[in-house]
Every structure is written in structure tokens, then in C-alpha cells.
């Protein structure tokens, strides 16, 4: 018998309200999934090619690098947050404005939330998966 197992550990949890801790957990999940995808899908297929196995390359379309970079690269969410933590008189709104200025319309995984109707929750930004 043949068996193929695929582990899916990625994904941003969807809650009514996400905290900083949840963002860190989600980032870790994205990085683990990217590592898994790269090793199981990309490197395995390259190994098949080296071994001369007849194989048609499959693009699984699971590149999570843009989401990871949005959060942790220079001028990403964490870098801007760190900067705001040391700037006198910084607020959540100055942080949000810097995020919008840096990423809105420029990064494929960053959007302002679309709020419809009356909402008691203040949504600041969205990170796509």
C-alpha cells in the first residue's frame, strides 16, 4: 500500500479580536508552514529531478514569504512597532498611520479592514495569508 501524508499547520486564527500574542503565534505558524512547504514540496521535487525520477514539477502555490516579511522584515509591522515604542508621545494611532503609509497599496498582504455596518470593535489593519 502507498501512503502520502500532508501536514497543514499554517493559518492565521480568526478571532473577533487578535492580540499581539496571537500575532506572534500566527507568525510562528506561518514560518513553520513555510519551512515545511519548502522542504516537502520544493526540495523533494528537486531531489526527484536529481535522481532522474520522471516527475512533472507541481507548483503548490504556498509561498508564505510575503506574509512573513510583512511582519518581521525592516519596516515591517514589528520594526515599526519597535520604533513607536521608543518614540516619545507615540500612540496606537501614530503606529497605525506609519503602517498605512508604509504598506497600504504597496504590499499585497496588507490592507485596511473593510468595516461594514456598526462595529464596536476597532479594526486597525489586516495581514493576509
Amino acid at each position: 500500500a502507498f501512503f502520502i501524508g500532508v501536514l497543514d499547520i499554517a493559518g492565521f486564527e480568526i478571532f473577533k479580536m487578535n492580540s499581539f500574542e496571537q500575532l506572534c503565534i500566527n507568525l510562528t505558524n506561518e514560518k513553520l508552514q513555510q519551512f515545511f512547504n519548502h522542504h516537502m514540496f520544493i526540495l523533494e521535487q528537486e531531489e526527484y529531478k536529481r535522481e532522474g525520477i520522471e516527475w512533472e514539477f507541481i507548483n503548490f502555490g504556498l509561498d508564505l514569504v510575503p506574509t512573513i516579511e510583512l511582519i518581521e522584515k525592516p519596516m515591517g509591522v514589528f520594526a515599526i512597532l519597535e520604533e513607536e515604542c521608543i518614540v516619545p508621545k507615540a500612540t496606537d494611532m501614530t503606529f497605525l498611520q506609519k503602517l498605512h503609509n508604509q504598506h497600504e497599496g504597496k504590499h499585497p498582504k496588507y490592507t485596511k479592514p473593510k468595516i461594514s455596518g456598526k462595529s464596536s470593535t476597532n479594526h486597525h489593519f489586516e495581514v493576509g495569508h
Side-chain angles (χ1 to χ4, degrees):
F2 297 99
F3 175 80
I4 297 175
V6 177
L7 172 64
D8 180 13
I9 57 173
F12 273 45
E13 299 293 335
I14 300 172
F15 298 115
K16 272 189 155 182
M17 186 177 126
N18 280 306
S19 64
F20 177 73
E21 292 80 7
Q22 188 62 47
L23 177 63
C24 293
I25 291 167
N26 291 341
L27 173 62
T28 301
N29 287 343
E30 293 292 301
K31 291 179 81 166
L32 287 169
Q33 184 69 47
Q34 179 65 21
F35 178 85
F36 176 82
N37 291 347
H38 181 71
H39 284 80
M40 293 306 297
F41 301 129
I42 306 302
L43 298 180
E44 275 299 311
Q45 292 185 90
E46 290 173 2
E47 181 69 24
Y48 295 165
K49 187 177 180 180
R50 278 193 301 279
E51 291 179 4
I53 297 172
E54 199 171 306
W55 181 263
E56 188 174 317
F57 184 81
I58 300 169
N59 180 356
F60 290 93
L62 297 173
D63 186 9
L64 304 173
V65 170
T67 301
I68 294 167
E69 288 181 346
L70 171 62
I71 297 170
E72 68 175 10
K73 290 296 180 178
M75 295 309 292
V77 174
F78 283 172
I80 293 172
L81 177 61
E82 182 177 16
E83 178 183 286
E84 285 296 283
C85 287
I86 59 173
V87 171
K89 298 185 181 178
T91 67
D92 60 338
M93 294 314 292
T94 60
F95 169 62
L96 180 61
Q97 191 58 50
K98 285 184 179 182
L99 286 177
H100 289 331
N101 291 345
Q102 183 66 32
H103 300 295
E104 185 182 14
K106 301 172 191 168
H107 196 286
K109 300 297 182 179
Y110 181 92
T111 57
K112 279 185 176 180
K114 291 150 190 72
I115 302 170
S116 61
K118 294 180 180 179
S119 174
S120 62
T121 306
N122 188 3
H123 301 276
H124 291 97
F125 64 94
E126 296 176 349
V127 176
H129 172 61

